[in-house]
Amino acid sequence: MSTESAVALTRTLLRFDTVNPPGRERDCARYAGALLQDWGFKVDYFEYEDKRTSVIARAGGSDKKAPLCLTGHLDVVPLGSRAWTKDPFAGETDGDRLYGRGSSDMKAGIAAILLALKGFSKALTNTPGIIAVLTAAEEGGCIGSYHLAQTQLLGKAGAMLVGEPTANYPYVGHKGSLKFYAAFKGVSAHGSMPQLGVNAIYKAARALGRLESFDFGLPAHPVMGKPTLNVGTIEGGNAVNSVPDAASVGVDIRTVPGMDHGELLTRMKSLFGSEVTLDVFSDMPAVWTTPEQEWVQRVFEICKRHLGEAPAPRAASYNTDAGNLLKVYKGAPTVVLGPGEPQMAHQTDEYCSMERIRQAQEIYEELIRDWCRI
Ligand SMILES: [Zn+2]
C-alpha cells in the first residue's frame, strides 16, 4: 500500500468534525464502518448517546485462539484558544507533514488500522481472526469504551494493539487514573457571626494539607516510576460575607500497575474524614504487559526491523481505552503503537508524519499475519 492512500484516507477522516465536546462521531464512524463492510468485515455500531458512535468490526475467528484486537478512537480534542496557521480540518501538507486536528491523535492511527485490514477479510477465514474497535469519546475520560465494555459486543481478544500516537515505538503500558471530587459540607451563617456556622472551606483546607504530604508508600515501578497525585480544582462558598456550607476539591491520581483503586479510595476516605463524599468520575486501571511476554517479544522483533533499533520497555505518558477494554479482554497482552507524534497530541497546528502512517500500516499488517499465521 502506498503513502498516497494512507494520506488520502487520513485526510478524509480529518474532514469529519469529531471535536469532543460535543463529539458527533457518528458520520466518521459510519464512514469507517462502511469501508470495513465493503472489505468483507462484519460490522456493528454502538451508540451510548445520540451521535456518539463506536464501530466494532470482525473477520475470521476460531475456537483455538482468540482474535487480535486493533483499537483507536474517532474523537479529537478542541482546537484550543491559540489560532491555527493551518486549516485544522482540510489535511494540508508540507513536506512529510500532514496537518489537522487529530492527525497525530489519532486519525493517522485509525487510517493505518483501516488500511492494514483492507484485503485481509477472506484470508482470515479459519484463523483466529481480527476485531477492530473504533471508539467514540476517548478524550476526556474514555467514556465510549467504558460503555462499550458493558455490552456483549466486544467478544474476546487474545492480544490488543492500541494505535495511539507513539511514532511507531511500541509502549508496553501506561499509568492508570483515578479522578474524583471530594465534597465537604458545613453549616451556613452570617459572615459576621462565624461561630454560628461550620466552615466547609476550612474542612477542605485541612484535607488539602493532608493530601499535599500524602505518601503512597510504594516503591517506584521499574518503567513508570511513582504514582502521582494532583489537586486540580477547588470550589467553595458563594459570598465573602457568608460562612460557606459547601466546598469541593478535584483530585487526579495516576496509578501504577498493581495498585488497587478500591483500596486507594478507602485510604482517601479515611484521610478526608467520615463526612466527605467522593464522586469518582474516572476510574481506569493501569495497563502493563511484561516485556518478556511472548507476543510482546514478537511485536518488538517486528518493530526492530522498522525502527532500526531493538525497542526498550517504555510506557506511554497518557491514558488509553485499553484500561476499559481490558475489563473484557482480561489478561490480553497489550501494546500501544501508532503513527502519530506523541508530542503533537492536543497541540495547535497538530501534524503527523505521512511516512509513519505507511510504516504503521506495514507493522500492523505484519502483526496480523503473525497472529493469524497467514
Ligand atoms: Zn488519543
Side-chain angles (χ1 to χ4, degrees):
M1 207 62 68
S2 66
T3 312
E4 234 169 288
S5 51
V7 172
L9 181 54
T10 309
R11 191 177 273 148
T12 304
L13 296 173
L14 285 171
R15 288 195 182 119
F16 290 100
D17 177 351
T18 56
V19 169
N20 173 19
R24 291 184 308 231
E25 294 91 345
R26 185 187 282 158
D27 290 350
C28 190
R30 292 267 164 188
Y31 180 82
L35 287 181
L36 287 161
Q37 207 151 8
D38 279 354
W39 299 337
F41 286 77
K42 183 188 170 298
V43 174
D44 289 300
Y45 296 99
F46 173 71
E47 292 193 347
Y48 75 92
E49 236 173 48
D50 188 41
K51 297 194 177 78
R52 308 309 303 271
T53 317
S54 298
V55 186
I56 304 99
R58 60 186 91 228
S62 86
D63 296 337
K64 293 181 197 108
K65 186 179 171 189
L68 171 68
C69 173
L70 289 93
T71 184
H73 61 86
L74 299 166
D75 59 323
V76 302
V77 291
L79 300 182
S81 51
R82 273 173 57 207
W84 284 54
T85 64
K86 311 279 181 189
D87 184 329
F89 299 106
E92 289 178 43
T93 56
D94 184 3
D96 180 48
R97 292 177 177 184
L98 173 61
Y99 287 88
R101 174 51 89 220
S103 50
S104 268
D105 187 13
M106 56 162 284
K107 285 178 171 170
I110 296 285
I113 289 173
L114 290 172
L115 290 171
L117 296 178
K118 188 180 179 181
F120 269 121
S121 82
K122 290 215 172 61
L124 295 171
T125 311
N126 297 323
T127 76
I130 297 296
I131 176 160
V133 179
L134 313 180
T135 62
E138 189 273 345
E139 301 291 359
C142 301
I143 310 294
S145 59
Y146 171 81
H147 288 282
L148 205 48
Q150 294 174 355
T151 71
Q152 302 299 312
L153 291 166
L154 291 173
K156 285 182 181 167
M160 181 159 53
L161 193 132
V162 186
E164 292 271 14
T166 70
N168 292 339
Y169 199 96
Y171 291 114
V172 286
H174 55 75
K175 281 182 175 173
S177 82
L178 181 63
K179 302 193 186 90
F180 60 85
Y181 292 110
F184 300 84
K185 280 204 163 52
V187 176
S188 185
H190 194 278
S192 64
M193 294 171 277
Q195 71 280 9
L196 299 180
V198 177
N199 192 313
I201 289 179
Y202 286 152
K203 277 192 185 177
R206 282 192 289 271
L208 287 177
R210 291 194 286 272
L211 270 187
E212 194 179 6
S213 56
F214 182 75
D215 183 358
F216 290 96
L218 286 172
H221 183 271
V223 172
M224 298 187 198
K226 293 209 166 212
T228 60
L229 183 154
N230 181 54
V231 175
T233 63
I234 179 159
E235 264 174 55
N238 38 35
V240 76
N241 60 346
S242 288
V243 175
D245 62 357
S248 154
V249 295
V251 181
D252 177 359
I253 300 177
R254 303 299 170 111
T255 57
V256 297
M259 285 174 77
D260 181 325
H261 287 195
E263 224 168 77
L264 191 54
L265 279 174
T266 309
R267 279 182 78 185
M268 286 292 129
K269 271 184 202 146
S270 63
L271 189 90
F272 289 140
S274 54
E275 289 167 68
V276 76
T277 4
L278 299 188
D279 171 19
V280 178
F281 61 93
S282 176
D283 182 359
M284 305 274 297
V287 172
W288 172 253
T289 309
T290 172
E292 289 76 36
Q293 199 276 338
E294 197 187 328
W295 181 68
V296 173
Q297 284 297 315
R298 300 289 301 150
V299 179
F300 278 18
E301 269 171 50
I302 288 168
C303 289
K304 186 181 166 186
R305 289 202 292 277
H306 291 273
L307 300 172
E309 56 171 314
R314 284 188 198 164
S317 57
Y318 46 73
N319 248 292
T320 75
D321 281 326
N324 283 330
L325 299 180
L326 284 169
K327 292 172 188 169
V328 179
Y329 301 150
K330 284 192 182 77
T334 299
V335 168
V336 186
L337 191 175
E341 304 293 321
Q343 76 280 9
M344 272 294 124
H346 305 193
Q347 297 292 320
T348 307
D349 287 333
E350 177 181 351
Y351 65 82
C352 66
S353 151
M354 293 188 272
E355 169 54 22
R356 281 210 214 281
I357 312 176
R358 193 199 51 74
Q359 189 184 45
Q361 183 192 336
E362 270 178 32
I363 295 172
Y364 295 168
E365 285 169 350
E366 282 180 57
L367 285 168
I368 292 168
R369 278 195 210 99
D370 185 70
W371 185 261
C372 298
R373 309 253 149 106
I374 44 175

